[in-house]
Amino acid sequence: MSTDLNINVHHVTRVEGHGNIVVDMKKGNLNKAQLEIVEPPRFFEAMLKGRNFHEVAIITSRICGICSLGHQMTSLKATEAALGLEVSEQTEILRKILIHGSTFQSNILHALFLATPDFFKVGSVFPLVKTNKAVVEAALRLKRLANDIGDVISGRAVHPISCVPGGFTKLPSEDDLRTLRDKIVTQGLPDAELAIDALASVAHEIPPFERETEYISVYSDKEYALYDGDICSSDTGLYPVEKYLEVTNEFVVDHSSSKHARFNRDSYMVGALARFNNSYALLKPKAKDVAAKLGLEAPNYNPYMNTVAQVVEVVHCVEDTLEMIDYLLDTGIKQEKPNQEPTRYGRGIATTEVPRGILFHDYTYNRQGMIDKANCIIPTGQNLANIDDDMKKLVPEIIAEGKDAITRKLEMLVRAYDPCISCSVHMLDVEFIE
Amino acid sequence: MSGQKPKVAFFDFTGCEGCQLNKLNFENELLDLLELVDIVEFREAMDGKADYYDIAFIEGGISTPQCIERIHDIRRRCGVMVALGQCAVSGGINAMKNLHPSEWVQEAVYGEDKYLFPSIPAQPVSAIVNVDYEVRGCPMSAPEYLHVFKSLILGRKPEIKDYAVCVECKLKENECVLDKGMFCLGPITRAGCEAICPSNGQYCTGCRGPVSNINRDGAVDMLKKHGYSTEEALKRMKMFNTNEIDKEIKWGR
Ligand code: SF4
Ligand code: SF4
């Protein structure tokens, strides 16, 4: 058996954004096992400077098209905190439904279109159109349904329109909500079942790898927290959002144009598995059933299971969305205008769980309601150190399997984290010398 | 393209992948379209690479020297090139950084390490290579993309609109947002989105870029009448269209 290994996967496929996997092993010594991030930087923090509070969420939603709803919500909450804008209960519920729709959409897209082809041992979802047409169609319909949630509540699922600081410029009608509800019940639930069965049939392909790490997510004792809550570390408990810099500790590494993060250990994990581990008890019953069916128990230390946790969350989001729609239909939609009269100008910090993990926006406004300073900390950046640490443990464990198998498992590992590299690179641009 | 199925490829440059996602949003047509073409490269969705493409769809704008190299390479190997979304068409939201001196941008983000990280102004694909068709919008308009895609497969010339969003807004019988006391760029922005923002009670941010015969000063005067200073009006016009509104910007071509 050779103890030298050199892997260089240029531009990993089936992930959002650009990253390379590099492994260098000489005589059984692992010199390097890392994910290099080569996405061009976009300088959002600089772009925000001097922008009016009406424009800020419109700009930050463009950090990432896949999590645009999450960025929008976090941005609105940070602006509202900075300007002292209160929002109504109705606004909060509608936003929670939007976040659910976005989690639902992104998780489906990742779990079923990008990660699942690995379990079927094909290079993309396209061959599955022929071999597993019913499942692909169900998955497409589910994605459509998730999209409908965004369309109905915010005018557009990618870069939402009607959610603004202080509320909504247009509210969904009760009829729209009823139609949406029917569609979720008659079409969404059976399709989800089909997709879950398909995933269950290949779940044994998920590599059995474990590395216990620190799990960080938003947490609330009232619900499985996505829209709002405190920062929760599986190691040391709860922190208010204002302490986010002490938790994230971003630092520069030379192999990534995105900064890395660490808290109590060398690295921590964020995303579906972190949320699942920290908030399992608050999942809806059907979601717990699906977790059991797919062999996911809390706590789980296998990063490959992140994909399974995503599917469990889809079920949770569907169930919770139905309950929230029912509540809105019971109380009736109140016609109200967004509250856009600032009561103060200053700093506002907000956190939300976007599909890939905990997200922070931090703004400081001047007295004209324009941004003076902005900072956004994005989930994928927080996962990068953890991915590197996983690779360092994984490679020696599977060294006997040969280069192809190792490469495949490393790519699957990176994909399991569902890295959204385009948004993680908001900071640095580093040249690589090969 | 006759005989065989056309070879189609998708490439992404600097952007948010929102256009990418929007592309997947007509599930019904998607599977039918897939029957008619051969997707040969699509990094986000599949493994694999090809040497030649009949149609290359480009998403995202140009923002690094590597982007310039890559886009030349794709242009050499493709028949028709289509820019998808405002980042590709005009530089889009990324071009806002061009508004500030590059030294300031680097410093705002990197502080003391600003000299470590060179960057070039964000530019449209057409600043580097010839682009045959464009689908505008941030995110790109999905129906328009479908129209262009289908036309190209059928060997027809796609129809591109060149009148203002206001026209579509009036057809929708919306209450004018300017009359409601809000800001709006509908009068100077290119139609094709069905005035989706005013229809949702929000103002038009100009995400599809200006109509081709835009009168910049006239637009500023119009906004001034509605209470916006020249500075604020221009700043807002530039959100998605820095390069088009600010022709003075020098591209490092
Ligand atoms: S045009 Fe807009 S939606 Fe498309 S990639 Fe650029 S920022 Fe994203
Ligand atoms: S209304 Fe304006 S901002 Fe909205 S999609 Fe159309 S062009 Fe873009």
Side-chain angles (χ1 to χ4, degrees):
Chain A
M1 186 189 80
S2 158
T3 49
D4 286 2
L5 179 70
N6 202 304
I7 293 177
N8 200 329
V9 181
H10 189 69
H11 284 190
V12 183
T13 54
R14 284 182 280 138
V15 299
E16 319 293 346
H18 303 93
N20 306 333
I21 295 172
V22 178
V23 173
D24 180 18
M25 191 162 188
K26 291 250 157 50
K27 301 206 171 62
N29 273 334
L30 192 60
N31 297 327
K32 213 187 239 179
Q34 62 197 26
L35 177 63
E36 297 184 340
I37 301 298
V38 292
E39 181 80 8
R42 292 170 74 210
F43 303 101
F44 271 93
E45 284 89 345
M47 289 183 206
L48 285 174
K49 179 143 178 149
R51 289 285 168 173
N52 183 289
F53 76 88
H54 293 288
E55 299 177 285
V56 172
I58 299 173
I59 296 172
T60 50
S61 96
R62 268 76 183 177
I63 292 176
C64 173
I66 321 279
C67 315
S68 60
L69 268 159
H71 277 287
Q72 183 116 3
M73 293 307 131
T74 320
S75 179
L76 295 176
K77 286 197 302 169
T79 290
E80 285 155 3
L83 304 182
L85 302 170
E86 300 273 334
V87 302
S88 68
E89 186 203 21
Q90 175 172 292
T91 292
E92 275 202 358
I93 295 176
L94 288 170
R95 287 181 180 176
K96 282 182 186 172
I97 297 177
L98 279 175
I99 283 286
H100 280 25
S102 154
T103 309
F104 176 3
Q105 149 123 316
S106 175
N107 286 8
I108 286 281
L109 185 70
H110 176 258
L112 300 180
F113 292 96
L114 305 179
T116 304
D118 283 324
F119 308 141
F120 283 95
K121 300 206 170 63
V122 289
S124 80
V125 72
F126 301 124
L128 299 179
V129 176
K130 292 220 166 58
T131 54
N132 301 61
K133 191 156 188 196
V135 180
V136 175
E137 281 175 342
L140 278 170
R141 277 195 303 270
L142 282 172
K143 215 202 122 287
R144 174 77 249 167
L145 180 60
N147 234 59
D148 286 349
I149 298 178
D151 285 347
V152 166
I153 308 223
S154 65
R156 184 170 62 198
V158 179
H159 304 321
I161 297 170
S162 60
C163 34
V164 297
F168 284 81
T169 56
K170 187 181 173 207
L171 292 160
S173 72
E174 286 169 23
D175 277 348
D176 288 344
L177 288 177
R178 242 173 251 121
T179 313
L180 187 62
R181 189 188 190 287
D182 288 349
K183 225 170 155 183
I184 296 176
V185 173
T186 57
Q187 181 210 303
L189 294 177
D191 280 345
E193 236 164 81
L194 210 70
I196 290 159
D197 287 344
L199 190 61
S201 74
V202 288
H204 56 275
E205 293 288 336
I206 296 171
F209 166 72
E210 282 197 348
R211 190 178 71 83
E212 197 237 347
T213 183
E214 181 176 7
Y215 299 91
I216 294 187
S217 70
V218 178
Y219 182 86
S220 155
D221 53 12
K222 294 185 204 67
E223 61 195 8
Y224 190 89
L226 295 169
Y227 175 70
D228 207 10
D230 290 324
I231 306 169
C232 172
S233 151
S234 58
D235 283 353
T236 48
L238 300 182
Y239 302 84
V241 61
E242 287 72 26
K243 296 253 188 252
Y244 82 104
L245 287 173
E246 285 157 51
V247 174
T248 52
N249 298 298
E250 282 192 312
F251 60 99
V252 179
V253 290
D254 62 1
H255 66 274
S256 163
S257 57
S258 169
K259 288 183 180 182
H260 281 201
R262 67 174 153 234
F263 187 29
N264 292 305
R265 312 187 189 195
D266 289 340
S267 57
Y268 62 82
M269 182 174 187
V270 300
L273 190 64
R275 294 190 287 263
F276 179 87
N277 282 346
N278 289 349
S279 304
Y280 172 80
L282 295 144
L283 278 171
K284 295 279 168 196
K286 276 206 194 91
K288 285 185 179 165
D289 291 349
V290 168
K293 182 169 179 181
L294 293 171
L296 182 65
E297 278 173 36
N300 182 291
Y301 304 134
N302 179 355
Y304 289 100
M305 290 300 268
N306 194 49
T307 306
V308 174
Q310 287 179 322
V311 174
V312 170
E313 286 189 333
V314 167
V315 179
H316 171 84
C317 287
V318 169
E319 231 186 310
D320 203 31
T321 298
L322 284 176
E323 284 177 22
M324 286 192 283
I325 292 180
D326 286 344
Y327 179 82
L328 287 175
L329 287 173
D330 271 358
T331 50
I333 291 283
K334 289 183 237 14
Q335 288 308 320
E336 51 184 23
K337 292 229 153 59
N339 166 19
Q340 301 196 321
E341 300 298 328
T343 55
R344 59 183 282 262
Y345 294 98
R347 186 168 177 198
I349 304 171
T351 183
T352 310
E353 280 289 340
V354 287
R356 290 159 188 81
I358 191 166
L359 168 70
F360 303 96
H361 283 214
D362 171 1
Y363 305 146
T364 306
Y365 281 92
N366 68 17
R367 301 204 59 80
Q368 283 74 48
M370 312 274 190
I371 292 264
D372 249 354
K373 233 177 125 182
N375 186 28
C376 309
I377 295 187
I378 274 107
T380 293
Q382 299 174 65
N383 267 335
L384 293 173
N386 207 63
I387 296 178
D388 284 1
D389 286 349
D390 280 351
M391 287 190 184
K392 288 189 187 98
K393 176 160 190 279
L394 177 65
V395 171
E397 284 179 17
I398 57 173
I399 190 74
E401 295 179 20
K403 185 168 169 173
D404 288 349
I406 298 173
T407 305
R408 186 170 155 265
K409 284 195 176 162
L410 288 176
E411 286 195 75
M412 282 171 73
L413 176 73
V414 171
R415 251 177 239 131
Y417 278 85
D418 192 6
C420 187
I421 296 171
S422 36
C423 52
S424 68
V425 182
H426 59 304
M427 285 294 184
L428 301 171
D429 184 19
V430 183
E431 282 268 334
F432 294 106
I433 302 131
E434 303 243 342
Chain B
M1 281 185 217
S2 61
Q4 283 171 332
K5 287 185 188 179
K7 289 191 169 38
V8 175
F10 298 92
F11 300 94
D12 60 326
F13 284 76
T14 310
C16 77
E17 316 223 352
C19 289
Q20 193 88 252
L21 186 62
N22 233 14
K23 208 157 60 201
L24 291 173
N25 282 353
F26 10 78
E27 291 71 10
N28 307 335
E29 290 96 337
L30 194 72
L31 292 182
D32 297 341
L33 263 181
L34 285 178
E35 306 263 301
L36 300 175
V37 300
D38 206 359
I39 299 196
V40 291
E41 215 171 312
F42 188 172
R43 192 190 52 82
E44 285 80 358
M46 62 192 277
D47 306 340
K49 291 197 182 298
D51 299 325
Y52 177 80
Y53 330 104
D54 292 299
I55 309 173
F57 287 105
I58 310 294
E59 247 162 275
I62 306 296
S63 77
T64 66
Q66 291 87 334
C67 292
I68 296 182
E69 250 170 64
R70 240 179 104 217
I71 195 74
H72 276 301
D73 179 51
I74 296 168
R75 181 71 261 190
R76 272 193 290 275
R77 292 187 288 131
C78 76
V80 176
M81 182 175 274
V82 186
L84 291 186
Q86 212 60 12
C87 288
V89 170
S90 76
I93 203 136
N94 307 315
M96 268 199 299
K97 76 168 190 190
N98 302 0
L99 281 173
H100 306 287
S102 70
E103 184 155 330
W104 180 86
V105 174
Q106 317 274 92
E107 199 171 289
V109 181
Y110 304 130
E112 287 177 358
D113 293 332
K114 64 182 172 185
Y115 297 112
L116 288 177
F117 311 108
S119 142
I120 61 171
Q123 308 163 64
V125 175
S126 61
I128 312 296
V129 296
N130 183 40
V131 171
D132 301 289
Y133 298 101
E134 337 186 288
V135 178
R136 290 173 169 259
C138 178
M140 66 155 187
S141 138
E144 207 177 30
Y145 159 72
L146 211 56
H147 167 73
V148 170
F149 202 160
K150 280 187 186 153
S151 304
L152 290 176
I153 294 173
L154 298 171
R156 295 201 196 117
K157 203 172 150 54
E159 226 177 281
I160 303 292
K161 292 177 180 159
D162 194 7
Y163 49 84
V165 165
C166 274
V167 176
E168 290 179 333
C169 194
K170 297 281 171 320
L171 284 173
K172 293 245 158 188
E173 300 181 3
N174 294 328
E175 188 192 350
C176 176
V177 282
L178 280 166
D179 290 348
K180 280 199 269 186
M182 287 165 75
F183 176 89
C184 194
L185 290 179
I188 57 163
T189 302
R190 198 185 282 248
C193 58
E194 303 285 316
I196 188 172
C197 299
S199 304
N200 279 284
Q202 175 65 308
Y203 67 89
C204 170
T205 55
C207 84
R208 294 175 49 80
V211 286
S212 61
N213 55 350
I214 178 196
N215 169 353
R216 186 176 111 165
D217 298 336
V220 171
D221 284 346
M222 178 271 300
L223 288 168
K224 271 164 97 174
K225 276 201 205 92
H226 286 276
Y228 296 90
S229 69
T230 307
E231 195 200 358
E232 184 66 15
L234 276 174
K235 196 167 79 185
R236 292 208 185 188
M237 279 160 74
K238 288 177 190 170
M239 185 189 277
F240 290 99
N241 306 292
T242 304
N243 289 329
E244 275 147 307
I245 302 293
D246 236 6
K247 287 284 179 333
E248 297 93 311
I249 293 225
K250 290 177 197 58
W251 290 333
R253 203 167 174 174

